[in-house]
């Protein structure tokens, strides 16, 4: 069963629209991440957070922004969508302090900007 | 960021064959993870390795943490059609994980 939820699963939207991709986890993990992945390609870290009110940019430059007001919620926002933003966006969370270092991933949001 | 090279990039095998893939880096890692991603889904953790030399199995899957801590391999025995997907390695240094470039596996019935 999924403990990390992403909505929507699929989104087709017009250029210039503002969108927010939702990610929530029920595991109480401090650390959360957003990855961008083109089909069949590698994962690129675009944002991460180590706790409430903490956000950092990842290795891949992105025009998106994130917020972390609550532990369980880590939404990603695109103020003005463009066709170059078409991709799959994966949210993940982890908790190192328990000794279980694995990331748990959501099912992803497949975004298409037309 | 750190660079993890996975090989091969893609594999096409017959059902029943064994599969071997590996992940190498010029950097030392403290933890190695192996994930599988089905089409249209997020990656799912298969095996976690925490010590150099560790060999861990999960059903038909076996993974090893290289002695040098710069590499890891994953073996799948007696492949079946549902093994199809992309396999990612991930290495941890500090609080950060870095993902490999992925190995795409196709199993031909």
């Amino acid at each position: 069963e999924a403990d990390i939820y992403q909505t929507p699963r699929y989104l087709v939207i017009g250029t210039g629209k503002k969108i927010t991709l939702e990610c929530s986890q029920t595991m109480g993990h401090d650390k959360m991440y957003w990855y961008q992945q083109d089909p069949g390609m590698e994962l690129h870290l675009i944002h991460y957070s180590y706790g409430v009110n903490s956000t950092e940019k990842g290795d891949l430059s992105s025009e998106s922004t994130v917020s972390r007001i609550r532990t369980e919620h880590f939404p990603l926002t695109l103020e003005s969508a463009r066709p170059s933003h078409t991709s799959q966006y994966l949210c993940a969370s982890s908790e190192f302090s328990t000794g279980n270092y694995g990331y748990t991933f959501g099912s992803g949001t497949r975004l298409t900007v037309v | 960021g750190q660079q993890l090279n996975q090989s091969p990039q893609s594999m096409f095998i017959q059902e029943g064959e064994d599969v071997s893939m590996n992940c190498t880096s010029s950097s030392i890692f403290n933890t190695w993870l192996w994930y599988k991603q089905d089409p249209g889904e997020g990656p799912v953790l298969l095996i976690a390795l925490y010590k150099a030399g560790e060999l861990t199995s999960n059903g038909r899957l076996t993974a090893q943490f290289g002695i040098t801590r710069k590499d890891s391999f994953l073996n799948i025995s007696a492949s079946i059609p549902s093994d199809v997907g992309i396999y990612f390695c991930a290495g941890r240094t500090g609080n950060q994980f870095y993902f490999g470039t992925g190995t795409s596996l196709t199993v031909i019935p």
Side-chain angles (χ1 to χ4, degrees):
Chain A
E1 73 208 42
D3 295 311
I4 182 163
Y5 305 93
Q6 287 187 245
T7 58
R9 284 296 307 272
Y10 303 94
L11 179 62
V12 181
I13 199 164
T15 297
K17 298 290 187 182
K18 176 180 179 179
I19 57 171
T20 296
L21 308 185
E22 301 288 348
C23 177
S24 295
Q25 49 98 4
T26 58
M27 297 170 283
H29 286 173
D30 287 336
K31 299 172 180 59
M32 297 188 73
Y33 312 84
W34 276 103
Y35 286 85
Q36 185 174 342
Q37 183 188 32
D38 291 330
M41 302 298 286
E42 61 194 285
L43 300 159
H44 294 286
L45 180 66
I46 52 174
H47 295 283
Y48 62 98
S49 167
Y50 283 175
V52 171
N53 294 325
S54 150
T55 61
E56 302 286 344
K57 289 188 180 294
D59 298 327
L60 181 69
S61 174
S62 173
E63 293 164 345
S64 57
T65 59
V66 292
S67 63
R68 190 88 182 277
I69 298 172
R70 303 196 315 267
T71 297
E72 63 270 22
H73 193 214
F74 191 40
L76 181 145
T77 298
L78 278 165
E79 290 292 333
S80 179
R82 295 209 298 268
S84 61
H85 296 140
T86 295
S87 190
Q88 172 156 267
Y89 293 84
L90 288 162
C91 181
S93 70
S94 67
E95 179 52 75
F96 291 174
S97 64
T98 63
N100 176 8
Y101 295 113
Y103 283 15
T104 302
F105 282 88
S107 297
T109 294
R110 178 66 59 86
L111 173 65
T112 302
V113 184
V114 297
Chain B
Q2 309 285 353
Q3 188 136 7
L4 276 73
N5 300 307
Q6 275 187 253
S7 64
Q9 188 174 7
S10 61
M11 303 179 74
F12 293 81
I13 61 167
Q14 292 284 344
E15 182 178 357
E17 288 185 356
D18 296 342
V19 172
S20 185
M21 61 187 78
N22 65 64
C23 192
T24 60
S25 175
S26 58
S27 302
I28 290 175
F29 292 103
N30 299 316
T31 301
W32 283 96
L33 307 176
W34 283 93
Y35 284 86
K36 181 192 177 209
Q37 185 177 26
D38 290 329
E41 298 291 331
V44 174
L45 183 65
L46 298 174
I47 291 179
L49 302 159
Y50 299 108
K51 293 190 302 187
E54 180 180 353
L55 183 71
T56 297
S57 294
N58 178 7
R60 294 178 296 106
L61 278 61
T62 302
Q64 185 157 27
F65 192 143
I67 290 292
T68 65
R69 295 165 62 193
K70 295 181 179 180
D71 61 353
S72 178
F73 73 75
L74 175 70
N75 286 345
I76 306 172
S77 63
S79 59
I80 59 178
S82 63
D83 290 334
V84 163
I86 301 177
Y87 291 78
F88 289 99
C89 63
R92 180 182 69 86
T93 178
N95 282 337
Q96 189 82 355
F97 271 102
Y98 299 89
F99 284 85
T101 48
T103 292
S104 174
L105 177 64
T106 301
V107 179
I108 303 166

